[in-house]
Amino acid sequence: MSTQERQTKADRPGKQRDAFFDNAKYLAIAFVAMGHAWEPLKGDSRTVETLYTIVYTFHMPAFIIISGFFSRSFDMRPDRLKRLITGVAVPYVLFETAYSVFRNLVTGSDDGITLLDPWYLTWFLVALFVWRLTTPIWKLVRWPVPLALGIAMLATVTPELGNDFDVQRVLQFLPYFVLGLSMKPEHFHLVRRRSVRIASVPVLAAASVVGWWAAPRMNAAWFYHRDAAQELGGPWWSGPMMTLALMGCSLVLTACFFAWVPRRRTWFTVLGSGTLYGYLLHGFLKKYGDYQGWFEHSWMHRPAGEIAVTVVAAAVVTLLCTPPVQRLFRFAMEPKLEWAFRQDAVELARGRQQKDREGEKVGA
């Protein structure tokens, strides 16, 4: 995401962007959009439901792991806190408000606007804000991933947490972010080896068979990580068990996904910096289609219609990740807001030193 990469680039000047991560982010967000497009169709097609199950096992975990990896350098330094506010908190307020207004206009409803209950896609911004803000803690404790996993397991047996700020998702997806924080570049190199790519083929084939069997038998809400076990009609102990099982499956399929991500620059590499744009903006079109009954047409529930919906979803999110769209919506996604912050004395001193050095070079 653009905010994460600006932070990493600022922390490590002179280093070029790794095409692998931009490629992975774009492909992950494409799967997110396709999964959303399949949701209204999966009830009438076991094939679509199988694909939906497989994709939902890994697409957000992969995205969150990368988010954690690019948050490794976050601390409480004023400039990084500013980027967290302008790049995550402010977009949340703007898009949560925009989604609420959009819903009222299209449906004719008169629902109030609240920032306590993230609607549809905005939960990720809340989660990212909380996860990144707690990064110094995870860097301090001895066993961060087991601790985060324990918190996620406890969340699945605690329906009393409620829905404010989608806290269930924040906690249940937390282990993936902490895992990303704990990873090093060489860990990604391991899954990019040719041997892993070859091994991923039978793994994906087995996942397809399991997905075909599980699709009509399993409650898809488990993949959303937004409810406790009791709210899904299961006994309390099923929450921790499903947390472990789903994380195991997610990590295996995420490794398979990473194994097939291109390492070289491709035509879609440049789109990797705009994935948050595609993620948030495509939701307006998807919800408009739901409200207008686009997915109720019978031809969409046939193979040709399902393929068409998949292609259109991928094409739309691709367009929304492009640089022109980024420039158009940068005011909402990456606002400057310099007027809202006090000038940091350290930054001012650095600026003066830089100007002095430049003046000395000119004088020489």
Side-chain angles (χ1 to χ4, degrees):
M1 296 179 183
S2 56
T3 304
Q4 297 159 354
E5 282 134 8
R6 285 203 316 278
Q7 175 180 317
T8 303
K9 190 174 181 180
D11 295 336
R12 297 183 298 172
K15 291 202 173 185
Q16 294 183 348
R17 297 169 65 99
D18 190 332
F20 168 80
F21 291 108
D22 280 332
N23 293 337
K25 288 188 297 178
Y26 164 74
L27 293 173
I29 208 65
F31 278 121
V32 168
M34 289 189 289
H36 290 159
W38 291 336
E39 189 172 2
L41 310 178
K42 64 185 179 68
D44 297 323
S45 172
R46 192 164 180 177
T47 299
V48 173
E49 193 168 8
T50 300
L51 291 173
Y52 181 88
T53 301
I54 294 172
V55 166
Y56 264 74
T57 304
F58 75 88
H59 70 349
M60 285 310 296
F63 208 71
I64 293 168
I65 287 172
I66 295 175
S67 298
F69 180 75
F70 279 100
S71 298
R72 292 173 301 155
S73 60
F74 181 83
D75 53 27
M76 294 300 178
R77 213 171 72 183
D79 59 327
R80 289 172 181 158
L81 286 173
K82 287 179 185 177
R83 284 196 292 269
L84 180 62
I85 293 170
T86 58
V88 180
V90 172
Y92 169 70
V93 172
L94 294 177
F95 274 87
E96 179 64 23
T97 302
Y99 268 124
S100 299
V101 173
F102 167 79
R103 179 182 57 202
N104 288 342
L105 289 175
V106 176
T107 64
S109 60
D110 192 25
D111 297 332
I113 298 173
T114 174
L115 299 180
L116 296 178
D117 187 14
W119 189 66
Y120 197 35
L121 303 177
T122 55
W123 70 268
F124 181 75
L125 294 176
V126 173
L128 185 60
F129 184 86
V130 174
W131 295 335
R132 191 172 291 169
L133 200 60
T134 60
T135 293
I137 298 175
W138 302 113
K139 292 161 68 174
L140 179 67
V141 299
R142 182 168 293 180
W143 299 291
V145 176
L147 177 59
L149 184 58
I151 291 173
M153 294 168 68
L154 288 174
T156 63
V157 300
T158 316
E160 295 82 5
L161 287 174
N163 297 320
D164 287 353
F165 293 118
D166 251 0
V167 66
Q168 283 286 357
R169 275 176 162 166
V170 173
L171 298 179
Q172 291 190 38
F173 275 116
L174 175 64
Y176 300 101
F177 181 83
V178 176
L179 177 62
L181 280 176
S182 306
M183 293 180 70
K184 298 178 181 179
E186 50 264 34
H187 294 137
F188 288 95
H189 291 310
L190 289 176
V191 298
R192 289 154 61 177
R193 294 181 300 179
R194 186 171 181 269
S195 59
V196 178
R197 187 175 301 176
I198 293 173
S200 69
V201 175
V203 171
L204 290 172
S208 300
V209 173
V210 173
W212 179 270
W213 175 86
R217 296 175 173 84
M218 182 177 176
N219 186 349
W222 283 108
F223 295 103
Y224 307 150
H225 297 283
R226 66 186 179 198
D227 299 294
Q230 298 92 321
E231 295 171 302
L232 297 178
W236 70 267
W237 53 262
S238 65
M241 295 294 293
M242 286 298 291
T243 299
L244 293 173
L246 285 176
M247 188 167 187
C249 294
S250 296
L251 293 182
V252 170
L253 291 185
T254 298
C256 294
F257 167 70
F258 284 147
W260 283 94
V261 171
R263 288 172 283 183
R264 66 187 186 281
R265 289 192 63 83
T266 66
W267 64 267
F268 54 79
T269 301
V270 68
L271 305 178
S273 63
T275 49
L276 190 56
Y277 290 79
Y279 173 78
L280 291 172
L281 292 172
H282 89 276
F284 290 100
L285 186 60
K286 168 58 171 59
K287 281 300 181 182
Y288 186 78
D290 288 340
Y291 297 145
Q292 297 300 314
W294 291 356
F295 298 97
E296 297 174 6
H297 296 288
S298 59
W299 72 271
M300 280 196 172
H301 297 261
R302 300 169 187 160
E306 293 160 359
I307 294 172
V309 167
T310 303
V311 172
V312 169
V316 167
V317 80
T318 298
L319 177 64
L320 294 177
C321 292
T322 57
V325 175
Q326 293 181 47
R327 289 192 293 270
L328 182 62
F329 288 95
R330 186 162 289 138
F331 74 95
M333 299 296 301
E334 305 175 64
K336 297 293 184 182
L337 299 183
E338 294 296 337
W339 54 268
F341 301 102
R342 295 178 180 177
Q343 289 292 324
D344 182 54
V346 176
E347 289 184 4
L348 289 173
R350 287 174 181 167
R352 285 195 295 267
Q353 290 176 358
Q354 181 66 26
K355 288 181 180 179
D356 291 341
R357 285 194 295 268
E358 291 175 355
E360 290 174 359
K361 289 180 181 179
V362 172

Short mmCIF file of all heavy atoms in Angstrom, two decimals, residues 31-45 48-49 51-53 55-56 59 120-121 169 219-221 224 226 282 286-287 290 295 300-301 306 309-310 313:
data_model
loop_
_atom_site.label_atom_id
_atom_site.label_comp_id
_atom_site.label_asym_id
_atom_site.label_seq_id
_atom_site.Cartn_x
_atom_site.Cartn_y
_atom_site.Cartn_z
N PHE A 31 -7.82 -10.81 -6.45
CA PHE A 31 -8.59 -11.92 -5.89
C PHE A 31 -9.65 -11.43 -4.93
O PHE A 31 -10.74 -12.01 -4.84
CB PHE A 31 -7.64 -12.90 -5.18
CG PHE A 31 -6.96 -13.87 -6.10
CD1 PHE A 31 -5.57 -13.92 -6.17
CD2 PHE A 31 -7.70 -14.74 -6.89
CE1 PHE A 31 -4.93 -14.82 -7.02
CE2 PHE A 31 -7.08 -15.64 -7.74
CZ PHE A 31 -5.69 -15.68 -7.80
N VAL A 32 -9.37 -10.36 -4.20
CA VAL A 32 -10.37 -9.77 -3.29
C VAL A 32 -11.60 -9.33 -4.09
O VAL A 32 -12.74 -9.63 -3.73
CB VAL A 32 -9.78 -8.59 -2.52
CG1 VAL A 32 -10.88 -7.80 -1.80
CG2 VAL A 32 -8.75 -9.07 -1.50
N ALA A 33 -11.36 -8.61 -5.19
CA ALA A 33 -12.47 -8.12 -6.01
C ALA A 33 -13.25 -9.27 -6.64
O ALA A 33 -14.49 -9.24 -6.69
CB ALA A 33 -11.93 -7.18 -7.10
N MET A 34 -12.53 -10.28 -7.12
CA MET A 34 -13.22 -11.43 -7.71
C MET A 34 -14.04 -12.18 -6.66
O MET A 34 -15.16 -12.63 -6.93
CB MET A 34 -12.21 -12.35 -8.39
CG MET A 34 -11.61 -11.77 -9.66
SD MET A 34 -10.59 -12.93 -10.62
CE MET A 34 -9.15 -13.08 -9.54
N GLY A 35 -13.48 -12.31 -5.46
CA GLY A 35 -14.23 -12.96 -4.40
C GLY A 35 -15.52 -12.23 -4.06
O GLY A 35 -16.57 -12.85 -3.85
N HIS A 36 -15.45 -10.91 -4.02
CA HIS A 36 -16.67 -10.13 -3.77
C HIS A 36 -17.69 -10.30 -4.89
O HIS A 36 -18.90 -10.34 -4.64
CB HIS A 36 -16.31 -8.64 -3.62
CG HIS A 36 -15.57 -8.34 -2.37
ND1 HIS A 36 -14.78 -7.22 -2.20
CD2 HIS A 36 -15.49 -9.01 -1.18
CE1 HIS A 36 -14.26 -7.22 -0.99
NE2 HIS A 36 -14.66 -8.29 -0.36
N ALA A 37 -17.21 -10.42 -6.13
CA ALA A 37 -18.13 -10.61 -7.25
C ALA A 37 -18.75 -12.00 -7.24
O ALA A 37 -19.88 -12.18 -7.71
CB ALA A 37 -17.37 -10.39 -8.57
N TRP A 38 -18.03 -12.98 -6.72
CA TRP A 38 -18.57 -14.35 -6.66
C TRP A 38 -19.60 -14.54 -5.56
O TRP A 38 -20.42 -15.47 -5.64
CB TRP A 38 -17.42 -15.34 -6.42
CG TRP A 38 -16.49 -15.49 -7.57
CD1 TRP A 38 -16.75 -15.24 -8.88
CD2 TRP A 38 -15.11 -15.91 -7.51
NE1 TRP A 38 -15.63 -15.47 -9.65
CE2 TRP A 38 -14.62 -15.89 -8.83
CE3 TRP A 38 -14.27 -16.31 -6.48
CZ2 TRP A 38 -13.31 -16.25 -9.14
CZ3 TRP A 38 -12.97 -16.67 -6.77
CH2 TRP A 38 -12.49 -16.65 -8.09
N GLU A 39 -19.56 -13.68 -4.55
CA GLU A 39 -20.41 -13.90 -3.38
C GLU A 39 -21.90 -14.05 -3.72
O GLU A 39 -22.56 -14.98 -3.23
CB GLU A 39 -20.21 -12.76 -2.38
CG GLU A 39 -20.89 -13.02 -1.05
CD GLU A 39 -20.51 -11.97 0.00
OE1 GLU A 39 -19.75 -11.04 -0.33
OE2 GLU A 39 -20.98 -12.10 1.13
N PRO A 40 -22.48 -13.20 -4.59
CA PRO A 40 -23.91 -13.38 -4.90
C PRO A 40 -24.19 -14.58 -5.80
O PRO A 40 -25.36 -14.95 -5.97
CB PRO A 40 -24.27 -12.07 -5.64
CG PRO A 40 -23.14 -11.14 -5.40
CD PRO A 40 -21.93 -11.99 -5.22
N LEU A 41 -23.16 -15.17 -6.39
CA LEU A 41 -23.35 -16.25 -7.35
C LEU A 41 -23.06 -17.63 -6.77
O LEU A 41 -23.46 -18.64 -7.36
CB LEU A 41 -22.43 -16.04 -8.57
CG LEU A 41 -22.44 -14.67 -9.23
CD1 LEU A 41 -21.44 -14.62 -10.38
CD2 LEU A 41 -23.83 -14.31 -9.73
N LYS A 42 -22.37 -17.69 -5.65
CA LYS A 42 -21.87 -18.97 -5.18
C LYS A 42 -22.97 -19.94 -4.73
O LYS A 42 -22.77 -21.15 -4.74
CB LYS A 42 -20.87 -18.75 -4.05
CG LYS A 42 -21.42 -18.12 -2.79
CD LYS A 42 -20.31 -17.84 -1.79
CE LYS A 42 -20.83 -17.18 -0.52
NZ LYS A 42 -21.68 -18.08 0.27
N GLY A 43 -24.13 -19.40 -4.39
CA GLY A 43 -25.20 -20.28 -3.93
C GLY A 43 -25.75 -21.17 -5.02
O GLY A 43 -26.35 -22.22 -4.74
N ASP A 44 -25.57 -20.79 -6.29
CA ASP A 44 -26.12 -21.56 -7.41
C ASP A 44 -25.07 -22.32 -8.19
O ASP A 44 -25.39 -22.95 -9.21
CB ASP A 44 -26.86 -20.62 -8.38
CG ASP A 44 -28.06 -19.95 -7.72
OD1 ASP A 44 -28.73 -20.61 -6.92
OD2 ASP A 44 -28.29 -18.76 -7.98
N SER A 45 -23.83 -22.25 -7.76
CA SER A 45 -22.76 -22.93 -8.50
C SER A 45 -21.74 -23.49 -7.52
O SER A 45 -21.10 -22.73 -6.80
CB SER A 45 -22.08 -21.96 -9.47
OG SER A 45 -20.93 -22.55 -10.04
N VAL A 48 -18.19 -22.15 -8.39
CA VAL A 48 -17.92 -20.81 -7.88
C VAL A 48 -17.74 -20.85 -6.37
O VAL A 48 -16.86 -20.18 -5.82
CB VAL A 48 -19.07 -19.85 -8.27
CG1 VAL A 48 -18.89 -18.49 -7.59
CG2 VAL A 48 -19.12 -19.67 -9.78
N GLU A 49 -18.55 -21.65 -5.70
CA GLU A 49 -18.44 -21.74 -4.26
C GLU A 49 -17.10 -22.34 -3.84
O GLU A 49 -16.50 -21.92 -2.84
CB GLU A 49 -19.59 -22.58 -3.69
CG GLU A 49 -19.73 -22.48 -2.19
CD GLU A 49 -21.03 -23.07 -1.69
OE1 GLU A 49 -21.76 -23.70 -2.48
OE2 GLU A 49 -21.32 -22.92 -0.48
N LEU A 51 -14.23 -22.11 -5.63
CA LEU A 51 -13.24 -21.06 -5.86
C LEU A 51 -13.30 -20.00 -4.77
O LEU A 51 -12.27 -19.51 -4.29
CB LEU A 51 -13.47 -20.43 -7.24
CG LEU A 51 -13.17 -21.32 -8.45
CD1 LEU A 51 -13.63 -20.62 -9.73
CD2 LEU A 51 -11.69 -21.63 -8.53
N TYR A 52 -14.51 -19.65 -4.39
CA TYR A 52 -14.72 -18.65 -3.34
C TYR A 52 -14.08 -19.12 -2.03
O TYR A 52 -13.38 -18.35 -1.35
CB TYR A 52 -16.23 -18.45 -3.16
CG TYR A 52 -16.63 -17.43 -2.12
CD1 TYR A 52 -16.78 -16.09 -2.47
CD2 TYR A 52 -16.92 -17.81 -0.81
CE1 TYR A 52 -17.18 -15.15 -1.53
CE2 TYR A 52 -17.31 -16.87 0.13
CZ TYR A 52 -17.45 -15.54 -0.24
OH TYR A 52 -17.85 -14.62 0.70
N THR A 53 -14.28 -20.39 -1.69
CA THR A 53 -13.72 -20.94 -0.46
C THR A 53 -12.20 -20.91 -0.48
O THR A 53 -11.55 -20.52 0.50
CB THR A 53 -14.21 -22.38 -0.26
OG1 THR A 53 -15.64 -22.40 -0.18
CG2 THR A 53 -13.63 -22.98 1.02
N VAL A 55 -10.15 -19.01 -2.40
CA VAL A 55 -9.62 -17.64 -2.43
C VAL A 55 -9.76 -16.97 -1.08
O VAL A 55 -8.84 -16.27 -0.62
CB VAL A 55 -10.34 -16.82 -3.53
CG1 VAL A 55 -10.08 -15.33 -3.36
CG2 VAL A 55 -9.87 -17.28 -4.91
N TYR A 56 -10.88 -17.18 -0.40
CA TYR A 56 -11.07 -16.56 0.90
C TYR A 56 -10.17 -17.16 1.98
O TYR A 56 -10.01 -16.57 3.05
CB TYR A 56 -12.54 -16.64 1.34
CG TYR A 56 -13.30 -15.38 1.00
CD1 TYR A 56 -13.66 -15.10 -0.32
CD2 TYR A 56 -13.61 -14.45 1.97
CE1 TYR A 56 -14.32 -13.93 -0.63
CE2 TYR A 56 -14.29 -13.28 1.67
CZ TYR A 56 -14.64 -13.02 0.36
OH TYR A 56 -15.29 -11.86 0.04
N HIS A 59 -6.55 -14.87 0.46
CA HIS A 59 -6.32 -13.54 -0.13
C HIS A 59 -6.09 -12.45 0.91
O HIS A 59 -5.14 -11.68 0.81
CB HIS A 59 -7.42 -13.16 -1.14
CG HIS A 59 -8.77 -12.88 -0.57
ND1 HIS A 59 -9.13 -13.14 0.72
CD2 HIS A 59 -9.88 -12.34 -1.15
CE1 HIS A 59 -10.38 -12.78 0.91
NE2 HIS A 59 -10.86 -12.29 -0.21
N TYR A 120 -18.75 -2.58 5.47
CA TYR A 120 -18.23 -3.30 4.31
C TYR A 120 -16.70 -3.38 4.34
O TYR A 120 -16.14 -4.15 5.11
CB TYR A 120 -18.74 -2.66 3.02
CG TYR A 120 -18.59 -3.55 1.79
CD1 TYR A 120 -18.76 -4.92 1.89
CD2 TYR A 120 -18.30 -3.02 0.55
CE1 TYR A 120 -18.63 -5.74 0.78
CE2 TYR A 120 -18.17 -3.83 -0.57
CZ TYR A 120 -18.34 -5.18 -0.45
OH TYR A 120 -18.20 -5.99 -1.56
N LEU A 121 -15.98 -2.56 3.57
CA LEU A 121 -14.54 -2.72 3.41
C LEU A 121 -13.69 -1.90 4.38
O LEU A 121 -12.49 -2.15 4.51
CB LEU A 121 -14.13 -2.34 1.98
CG LEU A 121 -14.83 -3.10 0.85
CD1 LEU A 121 -14.38 -2.56 -0.50
CD2 LEU A 121 -14.54 -4.59 0.94
N ARG A 169 -12.65 -8.87 13.91
CA ARG A 169 -11.73 -8.98 12.77
C ARG A 169 -10.34 -8.46 13.13
O ARG A 169 -9.33 -9.02 12.72
CB ARG A 169 -12.29 -8.21 11.57
CG ARG A 169 -13.26 -9.02 10.74
CD ARG A 169 -13.84 -8.18 9.63
NE ARG A 169 -14.43 -9.00 8.60
CZ ARG A 169 -15.24 -8.54 7.65
NH1 ARG A 169 -15.54 -7.26 7.62
NH2 ARG A 169 -15.74 -9.35 6.74
N ASN A 219 -19.79 -23.34 6.90
CA ASN A 219 -20.30 -21.97 6.97
C ASN A 219 -19.19 -21.01 6.52
O ASN A 219 -18.14 -20.91 7.18
CB ASN A 219 -20.74 -21.65 8.39
CG ASN A 219 -21.41 -20.30 8.51
OD1 ASN A 219 -21.39 -19.50 7.57
ND2 ASN A 219 -22.00 -20.03 9.66
N ALA A 220 -19.40 -20.31 5.42
CA ALA A 220 -18.38 -19.41 4.87
C ALA A 220 -18.03 -18.27 5.81
O ALA A 220 -16.98 -17.64 5.67
CB ALA A 220 -18.83 -18.85 3.52
N ALA A 221 -18.90 -18.00 6.79
CA ALA A 221 -18.65 -16.90 7.73
C ALA A 221 -17.38 -17.12 8.55
O ALA A 221 -16.81 -16.16 9.07
CB ALA A 221 -19.85 -16.71 8.66
N TYR A 224 -14.57 -15.03 7.30
CA TYR A 224 -14.63 -13.58 7.47
C TYR A 224 -14.00 -13.14 8.79
O TYR A 224 -13.67 -11.95 8.94
CB TYR A 224 -16.08 -13.10 7.41
CG TYR A 224 -16.85 -13.55 6.19
CD1 TYR A 224 -18.22 -13.75 6.24
CD2 TYR A 224 -16.20 -13.80 4.98
CE1 TYR A 224 -18.94 -14.17 5.14
CE2 TYR A 224 -16.91 -14.23 3.86
CZ TYR A 224 -18.28 -14.41 3.95
OH TYR A 224 -18.98 -14.84 2.85
N ARG A 226 -15.26 -12.44 11.63
CA ARG A 226 -15.93 -11.30 12.24
C ARG A 226 -16.91 -11.70 13.34
O ARG A 226 -17.61 -10.84 13.90
CB ARG A 226 -16.68 -10.50 11.16
CG ARG A 226 -17.83 -11.24 10.51
CD ARG A 226 -18.43 -10.45 9.36
NE ARG A 226 -19.52 -11.17 8.72
CZ ARG A 226 -19.99 -10.89 7.50
NH1 ARG A 226 -19.45 -9.88 6.81
NH2 ARG A 226 -20.98 -11.58 6.99
N HIS A 282 -13.56 -0.06 -5.30
CA HIS A 282 -14.39 -1.04 -6.00
C HIS A 282 -15.63 -1.41 -5.19
O HIS A 282 -16.61 -1.91 -5.74
CB HIS A 282 -13.58 -2.31 -6.35
CG HIS A 282 -13.59 -3.36 -5.28
ND1 HIS A 282 -12.73 -3.35 -4.20
CD2 HIS A 282 -14.37 -4.47 -5.12
CE1 HIS A 282 -12.96 -4.39 -3.44
NE2 HIS A 282 -13.96 -5.10 -3.97
N LYS A 286 -19.50 -2.50 -6.41
CA LYS A 286 -20.07 -3.79 -5.99
C LYS A 286 -21.38 -3.58 -5.25
O LYS A 286 -22.39 -4.26 -5.52
CB LYS A 286 -19.07 -4.52 -5.10
CG LYS A 286 -19.61 -5.73 -4.35
CD LYS A 286 -20.19 -6.79 -5.28
CE LYS A 286 -20.53 -8.07 -4.53
NZ LYS A 286 -21.49 -7.92 -3.44
N LYS A 287 -21.41 -2.65 -4.32
CA LYS A 287 -22.63 -2.42 -3.56
C LYS A 287 -23.73 -1.82 -4.44
O LYS A 287 -24.91 -2.13 -4.27
CB LYS A 287 -22.34 -1.49 -2.37
CG LYS A 287 -21.69 -2.21 -1.21
CD LYS A 287 -22.59 -3.32 -0.69
CE LYS A 287 -22.01 -4.06 0.48
NZ LYS A 287 -22.88 -5.18 0.93
N ASP A 290 -25.32 -4.64 -6.11
CA ASP A 290 -26.22 -5.36 -5.19
C ASP A 290 -27.56 -4.65 -5.07
O ASP A 290 -28.62 -5.27 -5.15
CB ASP A 290 -25.57 -5.46 -3.81
CG ASP A 290 -24.41 -6.45 -3.77
OD1 ASP A 290 -24.33 -7.32 -4.66
OD2 ASP A 290 -23.57 -6.34 -2.86
N PHE A 295 -26.90 -8.75 -9.98
CA PHE A 295 -26.51 -10.16 -9.84
C PHE A 295 -27.71 -11.11 -9.81
O PHE A 295 -27.53 -12.31 -9.65
CB PHE A 295 -25.67 -10.33 -8.56
CG PHE A 295 -24.39 -9.55 -8.57
CD1 PHE A 295 -24.32 -8.30 -7.96
CD2 PHE A 295 -23.26 -10.04 -9.20
CE1 PHE A 295 -23.13 -7.57 -7.97
CE2 PHE A 295 -22.08 -9.32 -9.22
CZ PHE A 295 -22.01 -8.08 -8.60
N MET A 300 -26.34 -14.47 -15.37
CA MET A 300 -25.13 -14.35 -14.55
C MET A 300 -24.85 -15.60 -13.74
O MET A 300 -23.73 -15.80 -13.26
CB MET A 300 -25.26 -13.15 -13.60
CG MET A 300 -24.95 -11.82 -14.23
SD MET A 300 -24.65 -10.56 -12.99
CE MET A 300 -24.09 -9.21 -14.03
N HIS A 301 -25.86 -16.44 -13.57
CA HIS A 301 -25.69 -17.65 -12.78
C HIS A 301 -25.40 -18.86 -13.67
O HIS A 301 -25.47 -20.00 -13.20
CB HIS A 301 -26.95 -17.88 -11.94
CG HIS A 301 -27.20 -16.80 -10.93
ND1 HIS A 301 -26.86 -16.91 -9.60
CD2 HIS A 301 -27.72 -15.55 -11.07
CE1 HIS A 301 -27.17 -15.80 -8.96
NE2 HIS A 301 -27.71 -14.95 -9.83
N GLU A 306 -20.80 -16.22 -15.11
CA GLU A 306 -19.84 -16.27 -14.01
C GLU A 306 -18.44 -15.88 -14.47
O GLU A 306 -17.71 -15.17 -13.76
CB GLU A 306 -19.84 -17.68 -13.42
CG GLU A 306 -21.15 -18.03 -12.72
CD GLU A 306 -21.35 -19.52 -12.55
OE1 GLU A 306 -20.48 -20.31 -13.00
OE2 GLU A 306 -22.37 -19.92 -11.96
N VAL A 309 -18.49 -12.04 -15.07
CA VAL A 309 -18.43 -11.31 -13.81
C VAL A 309 -17.01 -11.31 -13.25
O VAL A 309 -16.51 -10.29 -12.76
CB VAL A 309 -19.41 -11.92 -12.78
CG1 VAL A 309 -19.15 -11.37 -11.39
CG2 VAL A 309 -20.85 -11.63 -13.18
N THR A 310 -16.34 -12.45 -13.35
CA THR A 310 -14.96 -12.57 -12.86
C THR A 310 -14.03 -11.63 -13.62
O THR A 310 -13.21 -10.91 -13.02
CB THR A 310 -14.47 -14.02 -13.00
OG1 THR A 310 -15.36 -14.90 -12.29
CG2 THR A 310 -13.06 -14.17 -12.46
N ALA A 313 -14.79 -7.93 -12.78
CA ALA A 313 -14.30 -7.57 -11.44
C ALA A 313 -12.80 -7.33 -11.46
O ALA A 313 -12.31 -6.35 -10.88
CB ALA A 313 -14.66 -8.68 -10.45
#
